[in-house]
Amino acid sequence: MRFLAAPFGALFLCVAAAAQPLQVKGLGAPARIQIDQWGVPHIYAASEDDVFFVQGFNAARDRLFQIDLWRRRGLGELAAVFGPKYVEQDRATRLFLYRGDMRREWAAYGKDAQRISTRFVAGINAYIALTERRPDLLPFEFRLLKYQPTRWKAQDVVRIRSHGLTRNLTTEFARAHVVCQAGLAADKVRAELSHGWVTRVPEGLDPCFPEQALDVFTLATATVSFSPDTLTLARAAPREDTLEGSNNWVVAPSRTRTGRPLLANDPHRAYSTPSLRYIAHLSAPGLDVIGAGEPALPGISIGHNGRIAFGLTIFSIDQEDLYVYALNPANPRQYRYRDGWENFRVVKEKIAVRGARPVTVELRFTRHGPVIFEEPGKQRALAVRTAWNAPGMAPYFGSIEYMRARDFGGFRAAMTRWGAPTENQVYADTDGNIGWVAGGLAPVRPNWDGLLPVPGDGRYEWQGFLPGSALPSVLNPKEGYFASANEMNLPPDYPNRERKLGFEWPDGSRAQRIAELLAANPKASVEDMQRMQNDLVSLPARRLVALLKGLTSAVPRTKAALALLAGWDGTETAASPAAALYEVWWSRHLGDAYKAALLEPAAVRAMGAPNATAMLNALEHPRQLFGADAERKRDQVLLASLDGAAREMERLQGPDPQRWRWGGLLTSFFVHPLSPLVDAATQRRINVGPFQRGGGSYTLNLSAYQISNFWHIHGPSFRIVIDVGAWDNSRAMNTPGQAGDPANPHYRDLAPLWAAGEYFPLLYSRAAVDAATTETIELAPAR
């Protein structure tokens, strides 16, 4: 169904300071929300109980449709309001809900976890109750789709696991596909393993699986699509675990202009409207914390509490395994385990379906986890063993503990209980200390490496988890700074490397660039940190262009392309002709030519893009892989693929290379999930952009894009730079805006600033907040 227009109206709540307080049932004492000119809510309450209540109330005020959709997707309740099309996604998601002991679950997060969640959802429910009395406050999405938001339970917040970033199930499957089609040696082109690790095919594994074997897992972890074919879009969408690109760093007082620590963080995630993250300030006796979190969760995961500052990137612990089971030929409801047959654990649940009868679905589980695929022809089944199933694994929820730490010892202790996502946390405090703590639940695999699926017959069992205290950390590094950008950063002397935390880490180019910039700056400033976050230098581009020196071509088009790149320094501005040519070459031509030169056709067909690190290393040292006459073969790959890119650029932007522009191809566009359901005029009101962009997948200002159309889909929607101790001098950005309602002025107001690389002040002191307040909502306990 396509709607012609969205029913917009006065959809956001704003109560002037002089007006009567809003009466709210469940609030213990009067509270206030002061919204500053950039849309950041500063919440002042008389107790921690009330501040988390008001945080939930405010999250619903600004992001009700977003968090309702998050809850429905995570619990498997989409079909109840969107119809039969979503039954399969509901079933898939329910397979990955936490189904364990809730007492152990709450205890895993430290003190007060259940109480905090209870108060947070009570606040959400209080706002939902307000919309029932004031239907004009209901966001347009509910009226467009003709349904009402549902009340929350405290356990909803932590039982939902499938929205987190865990790994490495999809790469196991991809590696198995290459092994099936072309053998294990070919996989070295697809992926590079850290510290020289060489894997092997587990004994007893048949690595050949149907393409659809991961469909259930794909649906379980997909966002909600309102397009006609949900599964096709979910398959086509790049997964988050292939797009990690977060940066963070912390600088000691000895290396800053002010003599105070600086902390910078810009987590990179998929772009959307509204933004994935939400900035808020929570102030109550004993707690005064500001920064960003996800709007459906209590607390702050990136920010500061007036004493310590903290910021995160992904640390690549392998938390998933794909298990393969032989089915009993005499009873397909049993699978082989050791010397006998075990029954699948079967859970039957009813899925409510709008406009139709409820559907009863059967959820099957092995002793290792949920069954996602059965293959009758080979009499086998696949199940996922994932750390998601363990207590304490609700993504980001553990921040309710570390955000209250007062020193490095307390922060590290909180991180020893951290479950997901697996993280590098950088740290700074007002005493001048800086540090790094790795966190995440790490399975111990005693006899395999987790890089391929394994038989589920008992030969490949986890032996518990590595204690959080055994993960690496550092306090006050001798360099005077610490940075992470998802690279392999296990210390050389790390004693638990044999525990096989993980062997698949993103390319280290961004980390190298951060280190290059920090090392060259003996006295850094907040402004320097902002410039670094907006840096557009691609180190892979520099390496690749260096390989072209001395190469010549008689083909005029190729000769012109070589000349264009010869004087380029690898800076990918939107106006750069060289950047346009390079990115088209890199993403659409070079990888295919490189694979074709090294692999048999079956291997080429078995994989997507080659690993960037491995490809650059091979091109720089061709004798390792190209065989006899290696340099000539390498140069042929470079020139032929560059000519193909130049030919395509002529088609895309004309024959004159000086008129090419990278920003003419790369565009950022923030799309509302309901965009497919509305007409063009309404799309313009609910979507934000487009903006011409610079950068690429390996620049600090990361611009990961869809290769098919150069649509910038992933990068730093949220940024923060913290001046530790001079808190009001901190800076932040959250695009396209803080609000989730297109009628709200804060829905899109930050997008132009973000596109220009600008920031707003992240105000903390009461005086500064009061001066910048533009809206106030007074709340009082209902009589």
Side-chain angles (χ1 to χ4, degrees), residues 1-8 65 82 138-147 226 354 672-679 682 686:
M1 181 176 181
R2 187 172 179 84
F3 296 85
L4 295 180
F8 291 97
F65 177 70
F82 302 139
L138 195 67
F140 87 93
E141 294 95 340
F142 294 99
R143 290 182 283 148
L144 182 69
L145 297 169
K146 295 181 173 59
Y147 83 98
F226 292 92
R354 183 175 183 173
H672 192 284
L674 297 192
S675 186
L677 302 182
V678 298
D679 61 16
T682 306
I686 65 176

Side-chain angles (χ1 to χ4, degrees), residues 13-25 27 29-33 44 54 57 130 133-134 776-783:
L13 176 67
C14 174
V15 180
Q20 288 295 317
L22 187 66
Q23 305 292 312
V24 181
K25 186 177 181 180
L27 187 65
R32 172 181 286 184
I33 305 170
Y44 300 99
V54 180
F57 182 92
L130 180 62
R133 300 193 302 271
R134 293 268 310 277
T776 298
I777 302 172
E778 300 280 4
L779 304 177
R783 297 185 180 89

Side-chain angles (χ1 to χ4, degrees), residues 298-366:
I300 300 297
S301 58
I302 302 167
H304 73 81
N305 65 12
R307 169 67 184 163
I308 72 168
F310 38 87
L312 58 88
T313 68
I314 290 296
F315 177 78
S316 293
I317 295 174
D318 177 359
Q319 293 186 315
E320 296 170 347
D321 282 309
L322 186 62
Y323 279 75
V324 186
Y325 307 85
L327 297 177
N328 185 351
N331 182 358
R333 300 180 76 83
Q334 294 182 324
Y335 63 94
R336 169 71 68 182
Y337 190 76
R338 300 202 186 279
D339 296 327
W341 300 102
E342 285 196 5
N343 292 324
F344 289 109
R345 181 169 66 91
V346 177
V347 176
K348 291 186 177 181
E349 294 186 352
K350 282 189 177 181
I351 296 177
V353 182
R354 183 175 183 173
R357 290 185 175 183
V359 175
T360 299
V361 295
E362 185 174 277
L363 311 177
R364 293 193 183 193
F365 300 85
T366 71

Side-chain angles (χ1 to χ4, degrees), residues 41 43 48 51-56 58-59 112-113 115-117 119-121 124 157 277-283 287-305 310 395-404 418:
I43 298 169
E48 285 196 15
V51 87
F52 289 115
F53 177 95
V54 180
Q55 186 186 17
N58 180 72
D112 301 332
R115 187 178 186 91
I116 289 171
S117 185
R119 293 298 292 161
F120 180 76
V121 304
I124 294 174
V157 174
R277 288 192 165 88
Y278 185 72
I279 302 174
H281 181 187
L282 313 178
S283 185
L287 179 69
D288 197 4
V289 60
I290 189 171
E294 296 192 5
L297 303 176
I300 300 297
S301 58
I302 302 167
H304 73 81
N305 65 12
F310 38 87
Y396 298 106
F397 185 75
S399 63
I400 62 169
E401 185 73 1
Y402 72 62
M403 74 174 187
R404 295 185 282 183
W418 183 263

Side-chain angles (χ1 to χ4, degrees), residues 7 68 79 205 224 245 367 490 529 532 539 541 548 554 606 625 740 752 764:
D68 184 80
L205 175 68
V224 182
R367 62 170 46 227
L490 289 174
M529 304 297 93
M532 284 180 61
L539 296 190
L548 299 178
L625 290 180
Y764 184 68

Side-chain angles (χ1 to χ4, degrees), residues 228-272:
D229 192 337
T230 303
L231 179 57
T232 297
L233 288 171
R235 282 180 182 164
R239 281 182 50 83
E240 287 285 346
D241 58 8
T242 67
L243 291 174
E244 293 153 9
S246 304
N247 307 313
N248 66 13
W249 58 85
V250 63
V251 185
S254 61
R255 297 186 64 93
T256 69
R257 294 184 191 178
T258 64
R260 296 184 297 269
L262 294 174
L263 184 148
N265 192 191
D266 56 311
H268 302 165
R269 296 288 295 273
Y271 288 148
S272 62

